[in-house]
Amino acid sequence: MPENFARFRRSHEFWLLSVILILVVGLSVMTEGFLTLQNLFDLLTSYAFLGILASGLLVVLISGGIDISFTATASIAQYITMLLANKYGLNWFIVFAMASVVGIGLGAINAVLIDRLNISSIIVSIATLNIFYGLLVFITGGKYIYSLPPWFSHGIYWFEYVDADEISYGINLQILALAVMFTLTWLILNRTNIGRQIYVLGGNREAAQRLGFNVFRLNILVYCYMGLTAGVASLIQAQLAQSVAPTVLVGKELDVLAAVVLGGASLAGGVGTVFGTILGLTLLAVMQNGLILLGVSSYYSQFFVGLVILLSVSATALSARRKRKGVMTE
Amino acid sequence: MPTFLELTHISKRFGGVQALADVDLTLESGEVHCLVGENGSGKSTLIKIISGVQPPEAGGKIIIESREYSHLNPVESTRAGIQVIYQDLSLFPNLTVAENIGVGQHLGGFHSVDWNAIRATAKRAMERIGVNLDLDVKVEDLSIANRQLVAICRAMAADAKLVIMDEPTASLTRHEVDALLALVRELKKKGICIVFVSHRLDEVLEVAERVTVLRDGKKVGTYDAKEMNDHKLAVLMTGKEFHYDLAGIDLSARKTVLSTRHLSRKGDYKDISFDLREGEILGITGLLGSGRTELALSLFGMNPPDGGEIHLNGKRLALTSNREAIDNGIAYVSEDRLTLGLVLEQSIASNTIVTILDKLKGFMGLIPQAARQSTVDRWVKDLSIKVSNTNNPVKTLSGGNQQRVVLAKWMATAPRVLILDSPTVGVDISAKDGIYEIVRGLAAKGVAVILISDEIPEVLYHSHRILIMRNGRITGEFEAHKSSEDVLRVAVNA
Amino acid sequence: MSNAPHPPRGPDAALMSLIGSLTGDVTNRRLAILLVALVAVFGLIIGEGFFTKATVQSMAFQLPELGILSLAMMITLISGGLNLSIISTANLCALAMAYIMTKMLPGTEGFAFVGWQIVAIAVGLLIASIIGLVNGFIIAYLGVSPILTTLGTMTMVKGIGIGMTRGNVISGLPDSIVFLGNGTVVGIPTAMLVFAVVAIPMAIALGRTPFGAATYMIGSNEKATQFSGIDTKRVILRIYVISSLLAAVAGLVMMARFNSANASYAESYLLVTILAAVLGGVDPMGGFGKIAGVILSLVILQVISSAFNLLNFSQFLTLAIWGAILVGVTAVPNIRKRLGLID
């Protein structure tokens, strides 16, 4: 459909995709290590944590809210689950179920405070970030958990394949979880009416209420889903790090936010796609990876990330302004 | 025609306020009914009771197609075929036309989205009323008129038998209003009842059968629309008789304050030349989209013209900001009081002095509190603004008093040219007189006034001279005392 | 004295009315009540130890860092924005100042010794101004949302700091600077005086100047403010420059207290500054907030922190209580509305 393609060409996603493609081509030509299976698998594995959280935050932003307490939620889910896994053995299904339940429960607390007490979501989640995190470190004394159950430490490895250099690849836990969560989020947002209701809520809250949508229930769903993604992300992070540290996750909130907004989600609500979020995350990942491969000191990587965020949001604002000028008839 | 809805003995109290007192109303299938009244007359409460948002007091009866209810809830009301289209249209700008139309039918409960069903619903709704819009366009990319069509289609998709439209013509051009009225006639033929809640009646009266007037929560009466006109309705709505004294004043000896020569701006207006004299009130009228507001913004330094000249007291002006315009003695009362005229959340005092902050500055660049308060008090007194405390948010005032604060903040700049863009929108008829009085007083003191309005009586009875604008050009000039409403109406719509 | 009947009042009521007359609004009164209650409770639990000069002085040493940063955050919040780059700005400015001082000062004395310190501070303020101009320009003139813009500058500015120092600490500052962080003048910590030196002019600027009036108006409705003849873009630009300059002062105080500078000091303060400002009655949506309220809020946070410290509670429990207090205080008006106590 040429019309759909024309629409896509004007979209934020097209623009992001172009930038990424240019980066990928450039890096493939300029470095040896970029376009190797190993590098790409490593990238996926190490960015899975941010990606899963990004899919949850995307849903919150679309609904017109914001959550920055999810790193604390993840820390708690991780800690409780691994503590119990060490004590009682457990298995994959139970640990994921447990982490999810913890995440959902903490998400529900956010939703109730935001909806019932009518406090803005940014304030609530700043408060609960401090509450969750403060209590976790207070109760645990900030102690790390170094030994994880052997089956957990070992992880999973599907479709293993060993290349000529005897380096093995496969679908590991991180990549699997990332794929599952992105797919799940896409399904919810585009294939269920709940997802469309979330867009409706973010697009015009008052009108949604007039149409009889249950805003409280939607808020519960949205913040619990954020909690669920935090629970899942926390486990694959623990598996990758081979330890649980209550203090290392908090502080990464804004990285996740950056990826989602780079992907085109609006802080005003109603706008954002899973595809865009994937692209936003990819841009950050490829750029940081590329800088290292190009031999730019890793100390400067943050500088370039910040620069790209600034350039990207400025360019988007400028093109939106031009578009508005073009459309304006009055 | 069969009766669709019958309300009897409907009353409603909010705290100490009797919002509705024993109101009866019948609506017939296939009729167009106007509901009019000033702010606080009970119109919106009545709509809330019909749409089930609020229950009436005990003793009231609601009969829909011979089924009796003591009160409705929103679900029952929708199921009975009642749809309200609010002034803000309640659309979702981020979603497509198809989703906006199908939203009520296909998004309840928990299930997978059936995109084909949504599109089919949207298509059916559009076909029913002969509208054709691209289903996949986002609503934020549509014009206001097309958005309104989407809202009407949504009501159709919900099988509406009664559609209540709140101020549907407020932001439409004449052409768009005509299209809307044609659509309303279509709906009528299909046996749908339409209720217009409006204050711009001359347009709506063309298609309406009956008009119900509310005043202070009571029903004044229901009248045959053919026997009604603006003037009669104004009397019914306010209970007051209005007299306009028109006298031709010879202003030719007065000094010219502002003049434009061949002023143009691409896409907005073209070749505008006029002179404005000291103490003159110059009315400019024309339809939405005629370029009147754009011209006003150019004179106020916010919409730079790309051709022609503006002279102020014989000196050529090339304004680059509204601050410059203000410093040159030009003031502009915006058409949109709620978002451009006032900062509603902030205090009456802050809003009154916002235009003269730098003038109030004293020692070390500070604003002396005494001077601040005395300035505010002076204007509140001069314009008889009814306030209990000038530190209260300006949004706590009535529309009429809010507009007085707007006038105060501009009078504080001691303007020589005052541009008023639709200064009485959302102001009660009885409060309008007070505004006109202030404007006339200013003119008497020598201020040159431009009064822009799309309400013909407003410019006719309150200006000395009237310019007609159409499609960005001045197409006519009339002496007010030698003209009439009908003459102007013809000139505007020609 | 007249014979007019006096309303019954205890010492608390007298204190309240004093504080009330100082501040005169509902939020501040609620905070004052909270503060009095907290002091009373901690006084009962901890006893005399809570009221010693050492305790009070240590509070006064700690408050200014977070205090100045909160002011930097607050002014942007009032204008309807947000500045996430305050901490990274503070750190970069501190690094620059520390670098110049540690490189240039050793071996100098007299005029050169003082001169280089002034140069160092001037360079710090200059860097802050540039960051503020970048933020302000992108937000005001390009129309990008403040949260995105400052998220970008935050990352970029921190990146510059890390890149230039390889993440290392610069330490060994002159005594005069260390005095700024750790000395006292007639028993009052110097840092507290610095806080007063920035807070008082800022209170005057917000409350008594055209700039302040415009800031509040912009926070509620930028468009309408612009239509009133105020160059809102220029005001916003100034707001972000001021915010940045305040961050630089905070950087100076932090550097003085720790006798060192680093690109990632005090990062956990970022969200706490929003917490402190909102607790102090700043509307996160913009348009409202007073310095007095934020100072009360800072004192409350500091009292909790110091009391927990004396009680040997973890600082993380303090964080949790801070969060709970924020929810509690912001929820009060909404709960009252829900119960129908106010309309």
Side-chain angles (χ1 to χ4, degrees):
Chain A
M1 277 195 253
E3 201 179 313
N4 281 354
F5 181 71
R7 207 164 280 158
F8 175 67
R9 269 193 49 189
R10 271 179 274 126
S11 70
H12 184 77
E13 280 92 341
F14 176 78
W15 185 81
L16 264 180
L17 194 62
S18 316
V19 174
I20 292 171
L21 283 178
I22 293 169
L23 268 179
V24 166
V25 171
L27 286 171
S28 309
V29 174
M30 292 197 293
T31 69
E32 299 247 307
F34 181 73
L35 208 62
T36 62
L37 262 184
Q38 192 193 358
N39 187 43
L40 297 182
F41 270 89
D42 285 352
L43 267 182
L44 271 178
T45 308
S46 53
Y47 279 86
F49 174 68
L50 288 185
I52 293 170
L53 290 172
S55 68
L57 185 58
L58 170 70
V59 175
V60 177
L61 289 186
I62 290 173
S63 80
I66 191 168
D67 187 351
I68 47 173
S69 67
F70 53 83
T71 49
T73 304
S75 299
I76 293 179
Q78 196 181 47
Y79 208 94
I80 293 180
T81 310
M82 284 298 114
L83 208 61
L84 293 177
N86 269 337
K87 210 165 186 183
Y88 300 108
L90 309 184
N91 61 32
W92 284 115
F93 176 77
I94 295 182
V95 288
F96 272 101
M98 252 168 57
S100 304
V101 166
V102 173
I104 289 170
L106 296 178
I109 293 177
N110 278 331
V112 167
L113 289 175
I114 290 164
D115 193 279
R116 295 284 107 162
L117 296 183
N118 199 16
I119 315 176
S120 77
S121 49
I122 178 112
I123 298 311
V124 166
S125 60
I126 286 177
T128 52
L129 171 71
N130 282 297
I131 297 173
F132 296 164
Y133 178 57
L135 288 178
L136 173 71
V137 184
F138 172 63
I139 292 166
T140 62
K143 281 198 265 309
Y144 283 37
I145 302 175
Y146 285 113
S147 70
L148 303 176
W151 53 271
F152 188 84
S153 297
H154 190 254
I156 61 157
Y157 228 54
W158 289 355
F159 310 112
E160 199 167 333
Y161 158 82
V162 182
D163 73 2
D165 299 329
E166 300 206 341
I167 299 167
S168 64
Y169 314 103
I171 303 294
N172 58 20
L173 183 68
Q174 285 71 28
I175 296 174
L176 180 68
L178 181 65
V180 168
M181 294 313 286
F182 272 143
T183 312
L184 183 63
T185 309
W186 185 84
L187 282 173
I188 290 174
L189 286 177
N190 298 291
R191 285 286 175 260
T192 71
N193 65 323
I194 295 292
R196 301 322 289 175
Q197 288 186 24
I198 292 170
Y199 278 98
V200 160
L201 183 67
N204 187 342
R205 174 173 295 254
E206 203 178 324
Q209 266 162 340
R210 281 186 195 150
L211 280 178
F213 286 9
N214 189 333
V215 173
F216 180 51
R217 206 180 59 187
L218 280 175
N219 268 331
I220 290 269
L221 261 158
V222 163
Y223 289 94
C224 287
Y225 187 71
M226 176 80 247
L228 169 80
T229 57
V232 172
S234 78
L235 287 192
I236 62 129
Q237 192 275 340
Q239 203 280 330
L240 188 65
Q242 296 285 315
S243 66
V244 170
T247 51
V248 299
L249 300 184
V250 170
K252 297 206 186 302
E253 313 74 53
L254 297 180
D255 296 348
V256 179
L257 183 65
V260 183
V261 230
L262 264 185
S266 157
L267 291 161
V271 179
T273 60
V274 172
F275 183 50
T277 303
I278 293 174
L279 291 178
L281 191 71
T282 309
L283 179 60
L284 284 181
V286 167
M287 196 178 48
Q288 282 173 318
N289 182 248
L291 287 169
I292 293 168
L293 293 177
L294 284 172
V296 177
S297 153
S298 68
Y299 292 117
Y300 274 107
S301 112
Q302 286 227 15
F303 168 75
F304 287 102
V305 172
L307 191 63
V308 164
I309 295 175
L310 277 186
L311 291 178
S312 155
V313 294
S314 300
T316 312
L318 279 175
S319 76
R321 180 178 286 195
R322 211 164 296 141
K323 191 172 147 199
R324 221 177 305 134
K325 263 194 190 138
V327 170
M328 238 183 20
T329 49
E330 282 166 284
Chain B
M1 273 186 275
T3 299
F4 173 72
L5 173 104
E6 190 178 348
L7 301 176
T8 47
H9 303 302
I10 298 293
S11 300
K12 182 76 190 173
R13 287 186 79 85
F14 293 107
V17 182
Q18 186 82 37
L20 282 176
D22 201 25
V23 170
D24 297 346
L25 179 70
T26 53
L27 299 173
E28 288 166 6
S29 296
E31 87 163 324
V32 177
H33 198 114
C34 289
L35 187 60
V36 302
E38 295 202 290
N39 293 325
S41 62
K43 283 179 305 189
S44 34
T45 310
L46 194 59
I47 292 169
K48 281 182 185 150
I49 286 169
I50 297 174
S51 61
V53 177
Q54 258 153 15
E57 314 267 295
K61 252 194 298 188
I62 304 169
I63 302 167
I64 304 174
E65 298 190 305
S66 38
R67 229 186 113 188
E68 193 180 313
Y69 304 82
S70 65
H71 61 87
L72 292 163
N73 64 39
V75 177
E76 285 170 334
S77 171
T78 311
R79 211 172 283 153
I82 296 168
Q83 287 284 317
V84 183
I85 299 176
Y86 293 94
Q87 197 177 354
D88 66 13
L89 301 180
S90 299
L91 295 175
F92 304 97
N94 55 329
L95 302 181
T96 61
V97 168
E99 273 194 278
N100 267 284
I101 297 174
V103 68
Q105 268 47 58
H106 295 282
L107 290 185
F110 179 58
H111 51 78
S112 67
V113 188
D114 187 345
W115 289 98
N116 291 329
I118 290 177
R119 295 174 65 91
T121 302
K123 232 188 192 119
R124 225 178 308 123
M126 295 210 291
E127 274 162 15
R128 252 187 94 186
I129 54 172
V131 169
N132 196 7
L133 294 169
D134 184 348
L135 288 176
D136 299 315
V137 164
K138 281 189 182 167
V139 162
E140 63 192 352
D141 296 328
L142 295 180
S143 69
I144 304 280
N146 280 339
R147 288 183 202 187
Q148 198 165 44
L149 293 181
V150 174
I152 296 171
C153 287
R154 179 151 89 198
M156 290 300 101
D159 270 326
K161 292 174 186 159
L162 164 63
V163 179
I164 302 172
M165 297 190 186
D166 192 6
E167 298 284 1
T169 59
S171 39
L172 299 186
T173 63
R174 178 70 217 189
H175 186 69
E176 290 165 339
V177 169
D178 287 340
L180 176 69
L181 296 183
L183 179 57
V184 164
R185 287 195 189 96
E186 275 307 299
L187 296 177
K188 220 166 104 167
K189 271 189 218 150
K190 295 191 158 56
I192 294 165
C193 172
I194 293 113
V195 173
F196 278 124
V197 183
S198 184
H199 75 278
R200 272 174 36 182
L201 298 154
D202 47 340
E203 300 159 346
V204 175
L205 285 174
E206 292 171 24
V207 289
E209 267 94 26
R210 297 192 296 165
V211 184
T212 294
V213 181
L214 294 177
R215 189 202 313 151
D216 300 330
K218 294 188 196 75
K219 178 170 153 180
V220 179
T222 297
Y223 307 91
D224 192 334
K226 284 180 200 68
E227 292 162 13
M228 278 293 136
N229 61 31
D230 270 3
H231 186 74
K232 280 191 203 166
L233 280 175
V235 174
L236 290 171
M237 280 157 72
T238 57
K240 288 180 207 153
E241 197 51 69
F242 292 95
H243 298 287
Y244 303 109
D245 20 302
L246 287 169
I249 306 170
D250 184 20
L251 292 160
S252 56
R254 302 271 183 90
K255 206 172 95 205
T256 298
V257 181
L258 181 82
S259 59
T260 67
R261 288 294 172 266
H262 313 293
L263 204 63
S264 302
R265 183 179 155 91
K266 207 161 172 258
D268 284 350
Y269 53 82
K270 204 169 160 45
D271 200 21
I272 303 287
S273 303
F274 66 83
D275 291 312
L276 178 65
R277 290 171 195 283
E278 211 169 59
E280 182 181 25
I281 304 178
L282 175 67
I284 298 181
T285 187
L287 305 166
L288 200 75
S290 61
R292 54 198 162 102
T293 296
E294 292 75 7
L295 173 65
L297 284 175
S298 291
L299 297 176
F300 190 52
M302 294 188 83
N303 188 32
D306 48 25
E309 294 174 8
I310 304 172
H311 294 270
L312 186 74
N313 292 325
K315 224 174 63 204
R316 186 165 172 193
L317 276 187
L319 299 169
T320 56
S321 75
N322 63 353
R323 185 73 253 171
E324 260 179 69
I326 294 167
D327 291 341
N328 277 296
I330 301 173
Y332 171 68
V333 172
S334 156
E335 171 179 36
D336 186 349
R337 180 178 66 238
L338 302 181
T339 62
L340 300 180
L342 291 169
V343 181
L344 291 175
E345 295 79 13
Q346 296 289 339
S347 70
I348 295 156
S350 304
N351 273 284
T352 308
I353 58 158
V354 65
T355 49
I356 50 162
L357 290 172
D358 282 323
K359 273 193 207 155
L360 286 174
K361 221 159 54 173
F363 176 64
M364 284 181 55
L366 304 184
I367 299 174
Q369 292 306 287
R372 178 181 190 267
Q373 195 56 47
S374 67
T375 309
V376 171
D377 289 342
R378 181 190 148 203
W379 289 110
V380 165
K381 187 163 159 274
D382 267 19
L383 297 187
S384 352
I385 305 171
K386 289 189 192 66
V387 296
S388 51
N389 184 343
T390 54
N391 291 323
N392 287 344
V394 77
K395 68 178 170 194
T396 56
L397 299 177
S398 69
N401 277 314
Q402 283 180 11
Q403 194 66 323
R404 282 166 190 256
V405 174
V406 177
L407 286 173
K409 84 175 196 186
W410 290 118
M411 286 167 70
T413 67
R416 284 175 291 172
V417 177
L418 175 64
I419 306 167
L420 301 159
D421 197 349
S422 310
T424 59
V425 166
V427 173
D428 282 340
I429 296 173
S430 31
K432 280 181 183 177
D433 259 4
I435 307 275
Y436 298 140
E437 209 173 294
I438 294 169
V439 172
R440 250 184 254 134
L442 280 172
K445 281 187 201 135
V447 176
V449 179
I450 296 177
L451 172 63
I452 299 171
S453 176
D454 55 358
E455 291 191 41
I456 283 165
E458 178 157 289
V459 284
L460 177 66
Y461 298 122
H462 304 288
S463 330
H464 301 116
R465 191 157 54 98
I466 297 147
L467 300 178
I468 310 283
M469 275 187 84
R470 205 170 66 233
N471 296 329
R473 289 170 181 273
I474 293 179
T475 55
E477 181 174 342
F478 297 88
E479 298 285 316
H481 66 282
K482 291 181 193 154
S483 187
S484 73
E485 284 188 42
D486 291 334
V487 169
L488 290 180
R489 195 158 284 136
V490 169
V492 163
N493 291 321
Chain C
M1 280 306 237
S2 74
N3 290 326
H6 289 282
R9 41 170 35 188
D12 265 14
L15 181 63
M16 284 301 311
S17 85
L18 176 70
I19 294 168
S21 66
L22 274 174
T23 57
D25 77 25
V26 186
T27 317
N28 292 353
R29 224 164 290 149
R30 200 179 304 137
L31 289 175
I33 294 170
L34 180 63
L35 179 58
V36 171
L38 283 172
V39 170
V41 169
F42 288 136
L44 283 175
I45 298 173
I46 300 170
E48 277 171 25
F50 190 58
F51 299 102
T52 60
K53 189 182 165 206
T55 310
V56 175
Q57 212 173 45
S58 89
M59 288 191 209
F61 269 116
Q62 288 163 34
L63 187 137
E65 290 153 49
L66 181 60
I68 300 170
L69 287 169
S70 299
L71 297 184
M73 181 61 84
M74 171 198 186
I75 185 169
T76 59
L77 285 174
I78 292 176
S79 75
L82 181 76
N83 188 356
L84 296 175
S85 64
I86 49 173
I87 308 280
S88 56
T89 303
N91 283 326
L92 185 65
C93 295
L95 282 172
M97 293 188 272
Y99 180 80
I100 296 174
M101 288 182 194
T102 52
K103 278 276 181 269
M104 298 300 178
L105 284 183
T108 60
E109 54 184 78
F111 185 70
F113 181 76
V114 177
W116 277 115
Q117 288 186 51
I118 293 173
V119 168
I121 291 172
V123 168
L125 295 176
L126 180 71
I127 292 173
S129 311
I130 294 170
I131 299 169
L133 284 171
V134 170
N135 276 333
F137 178 78
I138 296 178
I139 292 165
Y141 292 89
L142 299 185
V144 178
S145 86
I147 195 167
L148 293 184
T149 309
T150 57
L151 185 64
T153 40
M154 170 186 99
T155 317
M156 198 168 94
V157 167
K158 187 183 170 195
I160 297 173
I162 292 180
M164 306 214 340
T165 61
R166 320 244 128 195
N168 288 327
V169 167
I170 300 180
S171 58
L173 292 156
D175 290 344
S176 50
I177 293 294
V178 174
F179 174 77
L180 205 58
N182 300 291
T184 60
V185 176
V186 289
I188 302 168
T190 335
M192 194 44 120
L193 295 175
V194 174
F195 179 66
V197 164
V198 295
I200 292 168
M202 202 175 137
I204 294 171
L206 281 176
R208 294 287 151 93
T209 65
F211 166 75
T215 304
Y216 287 103
M217 298 296 266
I218 289 170
S220 290
N221 183 340
E222 190 199 333
K223 210 80 218 201
T225 312
Q226 193 192 357
F227 266 76
S228 305
I230 287 170
D231 189 345
T232 53
K233 290 177 176 161
R234 226 182 83 205
V235 175
I236 293 172
L237 192 71
R238 277 168 75 185
I239 288 168
Y240 282 88
V241 171
I242 291 174
S243 175
S244 242
L245 289 173
L246 286 167
V249 175
L252 177 64
V253 171
M254 282 196 306
M255 168 178 99
R257 246 172 73 72
F258 306 146
N259 192 9
S260 65
N262 177 274
S264 23
Y265 274 162
E267 282 181 337
S268 60
Y269 272 168
L270 181 56
L271 297 175
V272 176
T273 60
I274 303 179
L275 186 152
V278 175
L279 181 63
V282 176
D283 186 334
M285 299 305 165
F288 298 93
K290 295 210 174 81
I291 300 271
V294 176
I295 292 177
L296 269 174
S297 137
L298 288 165
V299 174
I300 288 173
L301 298 180
Q302 188 58 53
V303 162
I304 296 171
S305 166
S306 298
F308 277 28
N309 198 22
L310 287 173
L311 290 166
N312 266 331
F313 288 159
S314 144
Q315 50 155 324
F316 289 97
L317 191 60
T318 308
L319 266 189
I321 298 296
W322 285 0
I325 294 235
L326 175 62
V327 172
V329 171
T330 41
V332 167
N334 299 321
I335 292 172
R336 284 173 62 149
K337 211 180 275 176
R338 217 157 239 276
L339 296 175
L341 292 176
I342 40 177
D343 197 16

